[in-house]
Structure formats: structure tokens, C-alpha cells
Amino acid sequence: MNPETEFREGLEELASTCHHVLELLGEDPSRDGLLKTPMRVAKAMQVLTRGYTQDAHKVLTDALFAEEYDQMVIVKDIDFYSMCEHHMLPFFGKAHVAYIPNGYITGLSKIARVVDIFSHRLQVQERLTQQIKDCIEDTLHPLGVMVVVEAQHMCMQMRGVEKQNSVTTTSAFSGAFNQAKTRQEFMNLLGE
């Protein structure tokens, strides 16, 4: 499925709901600039939440290779965009993922795809970080996994406290990364 051209069930209903939201906001959905907005929003929301229809575990297992490498593998600076589940406003940033293989590796792009799948759901940053870690751990069974996510949240920048330069950092780790020395090596390699 191409999320930019193929849409899920409920598209028309989503557009109808958006039409009603525009009315509730005091807008005229029949004016020229808003005529196609309800359908545009409906399509955008389906694209932004396409992660609900994708299987992150399958992405990893489709590119699983036996390999006796047992040192840290890091994919850093993975750009992501997500929507906060509290206000349905964007949050975005970078994810950094490390794992120590235990007989198997996966394609490097698959790590970025895992981030993409979980970020394309309504989220909180803490859960996103944990889901990425859990998926890699449950699928690859590595010696350890560590995920660090840094993000800016529009719900903090556009509304509420309106702090434009705030960045939130979360982490999740397991296995060999329970050792402070291993976590520090990861952070050093990130250049943090």
C-alpha cells in the first residue's frame, strides 16, 4: 500500500468530521479556500497514522541475516515526525538506536523503518522510545538495545507554555546497556 495514494476505510467519514470541525470553529467550509480542505485533512491524517497498518517486527525479520558480529551497531540521527495523542499536534526530532547482535543482524534501513512505523501513530515520546526498543529486542534477541529520542513538541511550542527552544530527551535500554560503561560508550559514539 502506498500511503500517499491508497487510503484506508473511513476516509469519507473522516472528511465529513473535518467539515463539521471547520463549522464548529466558526469557518465556512463552502468558501473557496476550504472547499477541498476536509478531504485533504482526512488523507493527511491517514498518511500520518499509517503505522497502525504496518508490522514493525515483520520489517526486521524480512531482512534478518546470521552474522557472528557482537559489537555495537548504531543507527543515529533518524529523523522522525509523529503526532502527540494529547493534542494531535506534531512532535519531531531524531532517534538514535543501538543494538549488540547475538548471532543475527538486520538491514540498517530496517531500524529506520521501525522508527517510522511507530512514529506514524498517535504517540507520546516515552512510549515511542519504548516501542522501538521492545520491537528490536523481541525480534532480534540481541545482547542489548538502547534507544535515545530527542524531540520538539508543538503542543509545548504553539500552545500552553509556548517554549520554542525546549527539547525533550527519552531513553530506553536493556541487556548489555544496563551497564553504565556500555551506555556511556553509546553516548560517546553519538557525540553527546
Side-chain angles (χ1 to χ4, degrees):
M1 177 177 141
N2 179 344
E4 295 291 338
T5 58
E6 299 173 35
F7 298 96
R8 305 188 303 268
E9 263 186 63
L11 187 65
E12 293 294 332
E13 188 176 351
L14 212 64
S16 175
T17 300
C18 180
H19 185 276
H20 185 61
V21 167
L22 289 170
E23 290 174 332
L24 290 172
L25 293 173
E27 265 295 352
D28 174 10
S30 64
R31 75 174 170 85
D32 194 37
L34 292 177
L35 271 175
K36 294 182 180 180
T37 296
M39 185 54 74
R40 286 185 190 117
V41 170
K43 288 178 178 180
M45 290 306 292
Q46 283 201 357
V47 169
L48 295 171
T49 60
R50 68 182 179 256
Y52 290 120
T53 64
Q54 298 172 324
D55 183 346
H57 295 280
K58 184 174 180 339
V59 165
L60 290 176
T61 57
D62 282 351
L64 194 60
F65 309 102
E67 189 64 51
E68 292 306 314
Y69 184 78
D70 64 356
Q71 300 299 310
M72 201 178 300
V73 176
I74 300 173
V75 181
K76 66 180 190 172
D77 296 329
I78 302 167
D79 291 321
F80 75 89
Y81 297 88
S82 193
M83 299 272 288
C84 104
E85 67 182 35
H86 299 144
H87 303 98
M88 290 182 66
L89 289 172
F91 70 96
F92 59 92
K94 295 189 181 296
H96 315 288
V97 179
Y99 75 100
I100 300 173
N102 187 17
Y104 290 93
I105 60 171
T106 190
L108 297 175
S109 69
K110 305 310 178 192
I111 301 293
R113 292 259 302 128
V114 167
V115 172
D116 189 54
I117 288 168
F118 288 117
S119 66
H120 280 84
R121 299 175 183 185
L122 296 181
Q123 279 289 10
V124 293
Q125 183 175 333
E126 297 86 345
R127 183 185 321 117
L128 172 64
T129 306
Q130 190 71 38
Q131 286 175 329
I132 295 165
K133 192 238 2 134
D134 289 348
C135 180
I136 293 167
E137 185 172 37
D138 295 346
T139 308
L140 299 181
H141 307 289
L143 298 174
V145 180
M146 184 160 177
V147 177
V148 173
V149 174
E150 302 168 301
Q152 295 181 52
H153 293 252
M154 291 294 102
C155 57
M156 281 184 62
Q157 295 178 342
M158 292 176 66
R159 55 155 302 283
V161 300
E162 296 185 10
K163 299 301 176 208
Q164 284 70 34
N165 297 311
S166 63
V167 175
T168 302
T169 302
T170 51
S171 67
F173 52 87
S174 66
F177 289 97
N178 284 314
Q179 299 171 15
K181 182 179 176 183
T182 308
R183 284 195 310 276
Q184 188 58 52
E185 178 185 349
F186 173 53
M187 298 307 284
N188 289 345
L189 290 168
L190 288 184
E192 301 290 315

